[in-house]
Short mmCIF file of all heavy atoms in Angstrom, two decimals:
data_model
loop_
_atom_site.label_atom_id
_atom_site.label_comp_id
_atom_site.label_asym_id
_atom_site.label_seq_id
_atom_site.Cartn_x
_atom_site.Cartn_y
_atom_site.Cartn_z
N GLY A 266 -28.39 -75.52 -51.48
CA GLY A 266 -28.38 -74.81 -52.72
C GLY A 266 -29.13 -73.52 -52.79
O GLY A 266 -29.58 -72.99 -53.77
N ARG A 267 -29.29 -72.81 -51.58
CA ARG A 267 -29.92 -71.52 -51.53
C ARG A 267 -29.02 -70.48 -51.86
O ARG A 267 -27.80 -70.50 -51.75
CB ARG A 267 -30.43 -71.38 -50.11
CG ARG A 267 -31.42 -72.36 -49.53
CD ARG A 267 -32.73 -72.34 -50.41
NE ARG A 267 -33.72 -73.06 -49.79
CZ ARG A 267 -34.98 -73.14 -50.35
NH1 ARG A 267 -35.37 -72.46 -51.45
NH2 ARG A 267 -35.96 -73.95 -49.90
N LYS A 268 -29.50 -69.43 -52.29
CA LYS A 268 -28.87 -68.12 -52.60
C LYS A 268 -28.55 -67.40 -51.34
O LYS A 268 -29.61 -66.88 -50.76
CB LYS A 268 -29.62 -67.28 -53.65
CG LYS A 268 -29.89 -67.95 -54.87
CD LYS A 268 -30.61 -66.96 -55.85
CE LYS A 268 -30.95 -67.61 -57.18
NZ LYS A 268 -31.85 -68.80 -57.12
N THR A 269 -27.38 -67.42 -50.73
CA THR A 269 -27.05 -67.00 -49.38
C THR A 269 -26.06 -65.93 -49.37
O THR A 269 -24.96 -65.98 -50.18
CB THR A 269 -26.56 -68.13 -48.51
OG1 THR A 269 -27.46 -69.24 -48.66
CG2 THR A 269 -26.40 -67.76 -47.12
N LEU A 270 -26.45 -64.81 -48.64
CA LEU A 270 -25.47 -63.65 -48.54
C LEU A 270 -25.16 -63.39 -47.07
O LEU A 270 -26.03 -63.25 -46.31
CB LEU A 270 -26.18 -62.48 -49.25
CG LEU A 270 -25.41 -61.21 -49.11
CD1 LEU A 270 -23.79 -61.22 -49.77
CD2 LEU A 270 -26.21 -60.04 -49.77
N LEU A 271 -23.91 -63.54 -46.70
CA LEU A 271 -23.53 -63.19 -45.27
C LEU A 271 -22.86 -61.95 -45.13
O LEU A 271 -21.72 -61.66 -45.96
CB LEU A 271 -22.61 -64.46 -44.87
CG LEU A 271 -21.86 -64.18 -43.56
CD1 LEU A 271 -22.95 -64.31 -42.42
CD2 LEU A 271 -20.85 -65.31 -43.30
N TYR A 272 -23.23 -61.08 -44.26
CA TYR A 272 -22.49 -59.93 -43.89
C TYR A 272 -21.73 -60.18 -42.70
O TYR A 272 -22.36 -60.54 -41.66
CB TYR A 272 -23.44 -58.72 -43.74
CG TYR A 272 -24.07 -58.26 -45.09
CD1 TYR A 272 -25.21 -58.87 -45.55
CD2 TYR A 272 -23.41 -57.28 -45.93
CE1 TYR A 272 -25.81 -58.32 -46.80
CE2 TYR A 272 -24.06 -56.89 -47.04
CZ TYR A 272 -25.17 -57.41 -47.42
OH TYR A 272 -25.75 -56.94 -48.63
N THR A 273 -20.44 -59.84 -42.54
CA THR A 273 -19.77 -59.88 -41.33
C THR A 273 -19.32 -58.42 -41.02
O THR A 273 -18.70 -57.68 -41.82
CB THR A 273 -18.49 -60.78 -41.35
OG1 THR A 273 -17.71 -60.71 -40.14
CG2 THR A 273 -17.62 -60.50 -42.52
N ALA A 274 -19.67 -57.94 -39.81
CA ALA A 274 -19.56 -56.51 -39.45
C ALA A 274 -18.56 -56.32 -38.42
O ALA A 274 -18.90 -55.60 -37.47
CB ALA A 274 -20.94 -55.91 -39.17
N GLY A 275 -17.41 -56.82 -38.53
CA GLY A 275 -16.27 -56.46 -37.57
C GLY A 275 -15.97 -57.66 -36.46
O GLY A 275 -14.94 -57.52 -35.84
N ASP A 276 -16.73 -58.67 -36.57
CA ASP A 276 -16.49 -59.82 -35.68
C ASP A 276 -15.47 -60.78 -36.13
O ASP A 276 -14.53 -61.18 -35.46
CB ASP A 276 -17.86 -60.53 -35.24
CG ASP A 276 -17.55 -61.26 -33.89
OD1 ASP A 276 -17.11 -60.83 -33.10
OD2 ASP A 276 -18.21 -62.43 -33.83
N MET A 277 -15.61 -61.15 -37.43
CA MET A 277 -14.74 -62.06 -38.08
C MET A 277 -14.32 -61.54 -39.59
O MET A 277 -15.09 -60.91 -40.02
CB MET A 277 -15.24 -63.45 -38.07
CG MET A 277 -15.30 -64.25 -36.80
SD MET A 277 -15.61 -65.98 -37.14
CE MET A 277 -17.29 -65.93 -37.84
N SER A 278 -13.15 -61.92 -39.89
CA SER A 278 -12.72 -61.59 -41.17
C SER A 278 -13.27 -62.68 -42.22
O SER A 278 -13.59 -63.83 -41.84
CB SER A 278 -11.16 -61.39 -41.47
OG SER A 278 -10.59 -62.71 -41.09
N ILE A 279 -13.31 -62.38 -43.61
CA ILE A 279 -13.64 -63.37 -44.45
C ILE A 279 -12.78 -64.55 -44.50
O ILE A 279 -13.27 -65.79 -44.50
CB ILE A 279 -13.71 -62.72 -45.89
CG1 ILE A 279 -15.01 -61.87 -46.03
CG2 ILE A 279 -13.81 -63.80 -47.06
CD1 ILE A 279 -15.22 -61.19 -47.24
N PRO A 280 -11.47 -64.51 -44.44
CA PRO A 280 -10.60 -65.66 -44.28
C PRO A 280 -10.95 -66.63 -43.07
O PRO A 280 -10.92 -67.78 -43.18
CB PRO A 280 -9.23 -65.19 -44.19
CG PRO A 280 -9.24 -63.86 -44.97
CD PRO A 280 -10.58 -63.27 -44.55
N GLU A 281 -11.25 -65.96 -41.94
CA GLU A 281 -11.60 -66.68 -40.79
C GLU A 281 -12.91 -67.41 -40.88
O GLU A 281 -13.03 -68.68 -40.63
CB GLU A 281 -11.64 -65.77 -39.65
CG GLU A 281 -10.53 -65.26 -39.01
CD GLU A 281 -10.76 -64.25 -37.90
OE1 GLU A 281 -11.39 -63.30 -38.09
OE2 GLU A 281 -10.16 -64.56 -36.82
N ILE A 282 -13.91 -66.83 -41.67
CA ILE A 282 -15.23 -67.41 -41.94
C ILE A 282 -15.04 -68.59 -42.96
O ILE A 282 -15.56 -69.79 -42.82
CB ILE A 282 -16.16 -66.44 -42.59
CG1 ILE A 282 -16.50 -65.48 -41.50
CG2 ILE A 282 -17.40 -67.15 -43.12
CD1 ILE A 282 -17.32 -64.23 -42.02
N GLN A 283 -14.16 -68.42 -44.01
CA GLN A 283 -13.93 -69.45 -45.01
C GLN A 283 -13.32 -70.72 -44.27
O GLN A 283 -13.81 -71.87 -44.49
CB GLN A 283 -13.06 -68.93 -46.04
CG GLN A 283 -13.66 -68.02 -47.00
CD GLN A 283 -12.62 -67.33 -47.89
OE1 GLN A 283 -11.47 -67.19 -47.52
NE2 GLN A 283 -13.03 -66.92 -49.06
N MET A 284 -12.33 -70.45 -43.31
CA MET A 284 -11.71 -71.66 -42.63
C MET A 284 -12.72 -72.39 -41.79
O MET A 284 -12.70 -73.45 -41.71
CB MET A 284 -10.49 -71.17 -42.00
CG MET A 284 -9.50 -72.24 -41.56
SD MET A 284 -8.89 -72.99 -43.05
CE MET A 284 -8.08 -74.48 -42.44
N ARG A 285 -13.56 -71.55 -41.13
CA ARG A 285 -14.60 -72.29 -40.23
C ARG A 285 -15.54 -73.01 -41.05
O ARG A 285 -15.95 -74.06 -40.62
CB ARG A 285 -15.33 -71.19 -39.42
CG ARG A 285 -14.46 -70.48 -38.34
CD ARG A 285 -15.48 -69.84 -37.22
NE ARG A 285 -14.80 -69.31 -36.18
CZ ARG A 285 -15.38 -68.81 -34.96
NH1 ARG A 285 -16.64 -68.98 -34.86
NH2 ARG A 285 -14.53 -68.31 -34.17
N LEU A 286 -15.95 -72.61 -42.26
CA LEU A 286 -16.81 -73.26 -43.01
C LEU A 286 -16.21 -74.64 -43.58
O LEU A 286 -16.88 -75.57 -43.70
CB LEU A 286 -17.30 -72.41 -44.19
CG LEU A 286 -18.32 -71.28 -43.97
CD1 LEU A 286 -18.58 -70.44 -45.15
CD2 LEU A 286 -19.55 -71.81 -43.44
N VAL A 287 -14.87 -74.49 -43.88
CA VAL A 287 -14.31 -75.78 -44.28
C VAL A 287 -14.22 -76.73 -43.22
O VAL A 287 -14.39 -77.99 -43.39
CB VAL A 287 -12.73 -75.42 -44.77
CG1 VAL A 287 -11.98 -76.61 -44.83
CG2 VAL A 287 -12.85 -74.65 -46.02
N ALA A 288 -13.88 -76.29 -41.91
CA ALA A 288 -13.97 -77.18 -40.80
C ALA A 288 -15.29 -77.79 -40.46
O ALA A 288 -15.43 -79.04 -40.35
CB ALA A 288 -13.46 -76.43 -39.55
N ARG A 289 -16.38 -77.00 -40.80
CA ARG A 289 -17.67 -77.46 -40.59
C ARG A 289 -18.05 -78.52 -41.67
O ARG A 289 -18.63 -79.62 -41.37
CB ARG A 289 -18.73 -76.31 -40.70
CG ARG A 289 -20.07 -76.75 -40.68
CD ARG A 289 -20.57 -77.29 -39.30
NE ARG A 289 -21.94 -77.58 -39.41
CZ ARG A 289 -22.51 -78.62 -39.91
NH1 ARG A 289 -21.80 -79.59 -40.52
NH2 ARG A 289 -23.91 -78.87 -39.83
N SER A 290 -17.54 -78.26 -42.89
CA SER A 290 -17.84 -79.25 -43.84
C SER A 290 -17.09 -80.53 -43.84
O SER A 290 -17.67 -81.55 -43.98
CB SER A 290 -17.41 -78.59 -45.32
OG SER A 290 -17.56 -79.41 -46.33
N LEU A 291 -15.82 -80.44 -43.35
CA LEU A 291 -14.96 -81.59 -43.03
C LEU A 291 -15.37 -82.37 -41.82
O LEU A 291 -14.77 -83.53 -41.54
CB LEU A 291 -13.52 -81.29 -43.07
CG LEU A 291 -12.94 -80.82 -44.45
CD1 LEU A 291 -11.61 -80.23 -44.35
CD2 LEU A 291 -13.01 -82.01 -45.48
N LEU A 292 -16.05 -81.66 -40.85
CA LEU A 292 -16.44 -82.25 -39.58
C LEU A 292 -15.06 -82.61 -38.84
O LEU A 292 -15.06 -83.62 -38.11
CB LEU A 292 -17.29 -83.49 -39.62
CG LEU A 292 -18.68 -83.28 -40.34
CD1 LEU A 292 -19.34 -84.65 -40.37
CD2 LEU A 292 -19.44 -82.34 -39.48
N ARG A 293 -14.05 -81.61 -38.89
CA ARG A 293 -12.81 -81.80 -38.17
C ARG A 293 -12.41 -80.52 -37.59
O ARG A 293 -12.67 -79.37 -38.29
CB ARG A 293 -11.69 -82.30 -39.22
CG ARG A 293 -11.84 -83.69 -39.45
CD ARG A 293 -10.86 -83.98 -40.76
NE ARG A 293 -9.51 -83.51 -40.52
CZ ARG A 293 -8.75 -83.34 -41.54
NH1 ARG A 293 -9.10 -83.84 -42.77
NH2 ARG A 293 -7.48 -82.88 -41.27
N PRO A 294 -11.72 -80.40 -36.38
CA PRO A 294 -11.14 -79.09 -35.92
C PRO A 294 -10.09 -78.59 -36.84
O PRO A 294 -9.39 -79.40 -37.45
CB PRO A 294 -10.55 -79.50 -34.54
CG PRO A 294 -11.17 -80.81 -34.22
CD PRO A 294 -11.47 -81.54 -35.57
N ILE A 295 -9.97 -77.40 -36.92
CA ILE A 295 -9.07 -76.63 -37.82
C ILE A 295 -7.59 -77.14 -37.46
O ILE A 295 -6.85 -77.43 -38.43
CB ILE A 295 -9.08 -75.10 -37.76
CG1 ILE A 295 -10.46 -74.63 -38.24
CG2 ILE A 295 -8.00 -74.54 -38.51
CD1 ILE A 295 -10.78 -73.23 -38.09
N ASN A 296 -7.16 -77.13 -36.25
CA ASN A 296 -5.85 -77.36 -35.78
C ASN A 296 -5.59 -78.84 -35.40
O ASN A 296 -4.58 -79.19 -35.01
CB ASN A 296 -5.48 -76.53 -34.65
CG ASN A 296 -5.46 -74.95 -35.05
OD1 ASN A 296 -5.03 -74.68 -36.19
ND2 ASN A 296 -6.08 -74.18 -34.15
N GLY A 297 -6.50 -79.71 -35.59
CA GLY A 297 -6.42 -81.09 -35.25
C GLY A 297 -6.53 -81.30 -33.80
O GLY A 297 -6.86 -80.38 -32.95
N GLY A 298 -6.09 -82.46 -33.27
CA GLY A 298 -6.17 -82.77 -31.80
C GLY A 298 -7.26 -83.82 -31.48
O GLY A 298 -7.96 -84.18 -32.42
#
Side-chain angles (χ1 to χ4, degrees):
R267 297 295 187 178
K268 299 178 178 68
T269 307
L270 176 59
L271 171 69
Y272 291 90
T273 176
D276 200 37
M277 287 193 297
S278 67
I279 285 180
E281 288 178 301
I282 292 172
Q283 290 172 329
M284 201 61 194
R285 285 199 182 193
L286 286 172
V287 166
R289 173 67 176 81
S290 178
L291 291 171
L292 297 177
R293 283 168 48 197
I295 295 172
N296 297 317

